[in-house]
Amino acid sequence: MSERTDGDFKAKLVLSYNNDAEARDARSLPDERNRLREQFVDLLAAEGRTRLIEFGAGAGQDAVELMAAGLEVVAIDLSPENVEKCRARGIDAHVGDFYDLDLPDDDFEAGWAMSTLLHVPDVDIDRVLAEFARVPKPGAPLAIGLWGGGDWEGVFEDDWTDPPRFFSWRSDARLQTLLGRHFTVEQFQTVMHREWDQYQWCVLRLE
């Protein structure tokens, strides 16, 4: 396990996602991701929840589907280019840093964060999770998905984006331990398995 040493790693993440925004805007989400989102929407409908915060919206593919399901969505992303793609889809999107969100406490009934925490180093994870826990209301469910399965972090030099991005992959057990410091883990499963990692899907509850 290596700690983050590059002080401007977030600036490089912004540049990488800005450079890739056009390509991401044209991509479709995997069927399994769509299935999990629909499952989460069913949970929100059963609980009468309608106002959702998305942490790390990318180009807005999830957000636009969540809106189509009747949810009021506010989307946050570190990349200004991604935010522009979101706004072009009619999404209420804002540039924001998960380390210090410019949002009031207890303002949302649910949260959604796909492929976001994998860019947060271990040394910073509690700070970011505390922000994720601050803005939803007590009792709110939060869906989190990220690639992981092993314990490694650093800049992935074979990344297809320019510049290469920082990643933190976490084992299933360690991820659940980290999340459990701030939330109750109600669901955990792995899907979309690849040769060297897997997608970790969690539904958390803010008590």
Side-chain angles (χ1 to χ4, degrees):
M1 175 65 63
S2 63
E3 292 187 354
R4 167 174 58 83
T5 57
D6 184 356
D8 65 347
F9 85 106
K10 281 195 286 185
K12 291 182 177 179
L13 278 175
V14 171
L15 182 57
S16 179
Y17 278 104
N18 280 347
N19 290 340
D20 200 36
E22 196 70 33
R24 288 180 177 276
D25 190 40
R27 292 177 196 157
S28 299
L29 296 176
D31 290 343
E32 186 68 13
R33 169 92 157 252
N34 293 330
R35 183 188 69 80
L36 292 169
R37 186 187 61 247
E38 291 166 4
Q39 176 182 303
F40 189 62
V41 166
D42 288 344
L43 171 66
L44 300 186
E47 296 185 3
R49 300 179 184 274
T50 59
R51 181 167 164 80
L52 178 143
I53 175 73
E54 180 172 14
F55 305 102
Q61 286 93 337
D62 277 322
V64 75
E65 295 298 332
L66 291 165
M67 290 166 59
L71 295 168
E72 176 189 353
V73 177
V74 175
I76 304 295
D77 200 272
L78 193 62
S79 159
E81 291 294 330
N82 274 343
V83 167
E84 287 304 312
K85 298 299 182 186
C86 286
R87 289 175 176 172
R89 295 173 185 260
I91 300 162
D92 181 10
H94 307 269
V95 177
D97 186 336
F98 304 142
Y99 288 55
D100 187 17
L101 291 164
D102 186 20
L103 294 167
D105 296 353
D106 305 337
D107 196 39
F108 296 90
E109 297 169 336
W112 180 262
M114 296 298 113
S115 301
T116 296
L117 290 177
L118 48 73
H119 293 310
V120 178
D122 281 344
V123 294
D124 299 331
I125 190 68
D126 282 308
R127 176 176 175 177
V128 171
L129 288 174
E131 280 292 272
F132 279 21
R134 180 181 64 79
V135 296
K137 298 177 185 295
L142 173 65
I144 286 181
L146 63 161
W147 292 102
D151 286 312
W152 176 87
E153 67 175 16
V155 175
F156 186 51
E157 298 297 347
D158 293 333
D159 199 1
W160 63 85
T161 63
D162 182 28
R165 294 164 293 172
F166 175 94
F167 286 92
S168 185
W169 277 280
R170 300 174 174 103
S171 67
D172 296 348
R174 197 163 67 85
L175 175 61
Q176 291 179 76
T177 296
L178 293 171
L179 296 174
R181 295 175 184 170
H182 301 267
F183 303 92
T184 297
V185 181
E186 289 194 344
Q187 297 180 36
F188 183 91
Q189 60 179 300
T190 59
V191 296
M192 296 188 287
H193 297 82
R194 304 188 299 198
E195 181 179 356
W196 48 277
D197 64 356
Q198 61 200 13
Y199 206 69
Q200 299 161 316
W201 164 261
C202 324
V203 175
L204 314 175
R205 185 74 63 169
L206 181 61
E207 300 299 339

